[in-house]
Amino acid sequence: MANERPIGLFDSGVGGLTVAHALHTVLPSEQLVYFGDTAHLPYGDKSKETIQQYSLGIADFLLEQDCKVILIACNSASSNAFEEVRAHVGDRAVVMNVIDPVVEQVCDGRGATCTESIGIIGTKATIDSGTYQEKIRKQAPGVQVSSLATPLFVPMIEEGFVFDDISNAIIRSYLSRNELEGIDSLILGCTHYPIIRNQISRFLNFEVNVLDTARIVALSVQKFLTENDMLASRRAGNNQFYISDFTPSFEVIANMFFNEKIDLQKRNIWI
Ligand code: DGL
């Protein structure tokens, strides 16, 4: 059955598991095939060409797994390689990214006269690409957009510095910058960041709408599958979690990102 084919999703490493978990919660009947390119992470400081090259290789792997959807669960790859992956995959699967659903939600009802201010934080690759900024300006020209690369957040989270003095200091240092002054909403433009969403909201005194990007993406996939009659009626098999390089520490943080114990399998697609 075509609808029972899995949803494939990928990230540079384990960050995309926040999106996988949201998908699993919203769409429990869908089988997921996750690929984390741990052999090449981080993507956040790589060039566009390199991110595109890795993304195309992973798309081929997910096509081999017969995925009906390929969701780029990494902002760095979504902002630098989406069009290339879509052109490469063609009609073999539906290709989605994690940026469009968030932009749609944040711009919903905000026309040219809206004067709200939206902040975006993410990796250097995501912020420097200008993708979020451009897409928001196109949909809601009146909205003020500001952005800031916050590259220390990924290693900070991966090393387990969450809800403690070190993470509080780093969050304060980044979020107090002039670039983000006066924002009404904040887009967490990196799939690692939902882990520190509550901490960020608290730092902002709960006065800024910090978007739950993983859930927004999962709901948008659900809407797409429903509207296109592509929902699986039952889960065809267990969810699969592949990573291109395995270390015990990936296992520990993978469980934190997926919020439950998962079985990581090493699959080096690069050799
Ligand atoms: N999770 C990736 C993203 O959403 C960032 C991690 C990395 O730099 O590889 O951009």
Side-chain angles (χ1 to χ4, degrees):
M1 279 284 290
N3 285 5
E4 267 64 52
R5 292 161 66 205
I7 297 178
L9 64 166
F10 75 88
D11 178 52
S12 58
V14 290
L17 287 170
T18 56
V19 180
H21 186 258
L23 267 183
H24 179 60
T25 307
V26 170
L27 292 166
S29 297
E30 298 292 334
Q31 184 189 12
L32 306 180
V33 176
Y34 182 89
F35 186 86
D37 193 12
T38 47
H40 288 140
L41 67 78
Y43 281 9
D45 57 12
K46 301 276 188 307
S47 68
K48 199 174 187 62
E49 294 70 32
T50 299
I51 295 173
Q52 287 174 1
Q53 183 197 329
Y54 294 156
S55 300
L56 295 181
I58 300 167
D60 282 337
F61 171 73
L62 293 174
L63 285 172
E64 279 165 27
Q65 310 307 307
D66 199 26
C67 293
K68 61 182 175 187
V69 170
I70 295 177
L71 170 63
I72 307 180
C74 170
N75 286 267
S76 306
S78 288
S79 55
N80 286 285
F82 173 58
E83 294 302 342
E84 290 70 18
V85 173
R86 197 158 65 160
H88 178 73
V89 169
D91 59 9
R92 292 178 288 174
V94 176
V95 178
M96 303 173 93
N97 65 64
V98 288
I99 296 178
D100 289 336
V102 176
V103 168
E104 241 159 67
Q105 163 123 357
V106 92
C107 293
D108 189 32
R110 292 174 170 85
T113 54
C114 173
T115 54
E116 262 183 56
S117 176
I118 295 170
I120 308 151
I121 53 173
T123 65
K124 287 183 199 162
T126 297
I127 299 302
D128 293 351
S129 75
T131 306
Y132 270 105
Q133 299 90 317
E134 207 177 295
K135 289 188 177 205
I136 293 173
R137 287 200 186 106
K138 217 181 236 172
Q139 285 204 33
V143 165
Q144 251 206 306
V145 189
S146 47
S147 58
L148 182 71
T150 49
L152 278 182
F153 281 169
V154 167
M156 175 190 95
I157 294 167
E158 292 199 345
E159 288 302 321
F161 292 109
V162 174
F163 272 111
D164 64 0
D165 292 346
I166 291 176
S167 52
N168 275 334
I170 296 174
I171 287 172
R172 184 180 334 107
S173 168
Y174 278 137
L175 299 191
S176 309
R177 303 260 180 102
N178 292 341
E179 288 94 326
L180 299 178
E181 213 181 304
I183 53 169
D184 303 293
S185 302
L186 180 65
I187 295 176
L188 304 183
C190 173
T191 51
H192 277 68
Y193 299 178
I195 302 288
I196 52 169
R197 177 170 173 249
N198 291 341
Q199 203 179 344
I200 288 177
S201 291
R202 197 177 63 180
F203 174 76
L204 297 169
N205 294 320
F206 303 100
E207 286 163 0
V208 171
N209 177 22
V210 181
L211 290 140
D212 185 352
T213 40
R215 189 169 162 80
I216 293 170
V217 170
L219 290 173
S220 151
V221 174
Q222 181 190 42
K223 184 165 177 271
F224 178 86
L225 294 182
T226 307
E227 286 175 357
N228 290 279
D229 201 13
M230 286 176 70
L231 281 172
S233 52
R234 57 174 180 87
R235 182 126 58 92
N238 290 335
N239 294 331
Q240 305 290 329
F241 300 95
Y242 297 103
I243 52 175
S244 51
D245 189 21
F246 184 89
T247 66
S249 73
F250 285 137
E251 195 161 40
V252 173
I253 49 177
N255 295 336
M256 167 176 90
F257 278 89
F258 198 72
N259 214 16
E260 60 188 80
K261 193 161 166 25
I262 55 175
D263 195 15
L264 287 180
Q265 303 174 57
K266 181 175 170 186
R267 179 71 71 92
N268 190 349
I269 63 171
W270 307 114
I271 47 173

